[in-house]
Amino acid sequence: MKVTAFLPGVCGLALLLLLPLHAAGVESRGPLGGYHWYTMFMFGDSFADTGNLPRTSCRSSLSRQWHYPYGTFNGSRSGNPLGRFSNYLVQPDIIARMLGRLVGPPAYKRMVKHYCDPSGMSFAVGGSGVFEVPENLTTLSKQIDNFERLIKDRTISKWHLADSVALVAISGNDYSRINSSDVGNMIALIRKVTTEITANVQRLQKLGVKKILVNQLHPVGCTPWLTRPTNYTVCDSRANMGVDLHNGHLSINLRKSKNVHILDLATAFSNIVNPAPGKGSRLAKRFEHKLTPCCESFDPEGYCGQLSKNSERLYTVCKNPDQYFYWDSVHPTQAGWEAVMKQLQKPMLKFLTKEH
């Protein structure tokens, strides 16, 4: 399964989500019914990163989220880049909205020392993985190290953890350098990655997280990065075979875990971008473009938002992101994330309301 080194959010994800409070610290009445207090913490890659990568004046694949056209909801220059890898909001923001919030919690790197926002905090770093990836970014375990350190110095209090929910999401960065034709090595790596995810889920529980949502790996073979060679018409079946193996091992590893719920991203994505013959989600009909990205780089090895030395655009961007499932080569648009999470909302909320 050969995937881009910067999938994540595909960007290679591990995402941890602890559901939020209002910034003002008041109780919120949301779709769960009644009044609930939540604190939201995210760990992982660009699917969950809300601004932890540095904001620089020079654009690169790791800073593009701070520059146009990222954050431009309707494709116009009136948008405001939010440090998120999408045209606007990403998965944790959509989950937060389902729970009565406006957006997900702020980034860990943008918080003042010894302060945890009442809504929580995101530790996720775009491009990271379970293990060290080529960019040498903060791994899932090191993100949890940061989380644990804030618990020990009481920046994150028992009050923050009292009714916490976590989301762990791994989106594929660990598989960025493996050749999908090398089945033996691919299976061995999948076992290592899913074992490490499981160990980190258990670690979060020991640190006091009450409930944990775990993302399955989405159909990486259907991302524009891998469908571009066929003019965005056919998914890479070999890459998706690796996805199936990953999700199978992960489900087996977590099958006996209490207070853990797996979010079936594989099915939710496939229902839209690669439905079985005669099937498919009704939500898919809202997307005129299911495999083609809204923002496309001229160079297959380039990135959305890339500029030449003369500041000329090396990409094109669509006028209506809502008609596209994918924003760039690996990340969904906000509309894409809304369609995915709408399919998963009911079982997720049922899990969250169940007494632990």
Side-chain angles (χ1 to χ4, degrees), residues 109-274:
K109 287 290 187 178
R110 305 202 167 269
M111 301 296 293
V112 297
K113 191 174 183 180
H114 300 308
Y115 175 73
C116 178
D117 189 86
S119 67
M121 193 180 299
S122 171
F123 294 85
V125 178
S128 64
V130 167
F131 300 113
E132 293 286 352
V133 293
E135 289 81 4
N136 194 30
L137 298 167
T138 310
T139 63
L140 172 61
S141 62
K142 289 181 179 178
Q143 291 172 26
I144 298 176
D145 287 345
N146 292 332
F147 175 63
E148 182 175 12
R149 178 176 56 79
L150 295 186
I151 291 175
K152 289 182 176 179
D153 71 12
R154 299 185 181 180
T155 298
I156 295 176
S157 67
K158 292 182 179 179
W159 174 80
H160 287 111
L161 297 174
D163 197 14
S164 58
V165 181
L167 167 66
V168 177
I170 298 295
S171 308
N173 284 333
D174 292 286
Y175 306 126
S176 62
R177 299 302 185 194
I178 192 167
N179 191 328
S180 59
S181 63
D182 190 344
V183 178
N185 283 339
M186 180 175 69
I187 292 176
L189 180 58
I190 285 172
R191 286 175 175 167
K192 290 179 180 178
V193 169
T194 53
T195 297
E196 186 69 9
I197 294 172
T198 304
N200 279 286
V201 167
Q202 294 171 345
R203 182 182 173 193
L204 289 168
Q205 290 180 317
K206 291 179 180 178
L207 288 172
V209 179
K210 303 305 179 185
K211 292 192 176 184
I212 301 178
L213 305 171
V214 181
N215 271 2
Q216 277 193 344
L217 192 59
H218 57 292
V220 173
C222 294
T223 59
W225 178 269
L226 293 181
T227 62
R228 183 167 182 159
T230 64
N231 197 28
Y232 307 113
T233 59
V234 180
C235 295
D236 186 320
S237 60
R238 190 179 293 271
N240 283 343
M241 177 188 71
V243 170
D244 291 339
L245 290 172
H246 171 101
N247 291 339
H249 279 284
L250 186 63
S251 295
I252 291 173
N253 288 352
L254 295 174
R255 68 184 184 279
K256 295 182 179 180
S257 300
K258 294 183 179 180
N259 297 317
V260 175
H261 176 73
I262 294 177
L263 292 175
D264 189 359
L265 292 192
T267 298
F269 271 66
S270 294
N271 283 343
I272 297 171
V273 301
N274 190 34

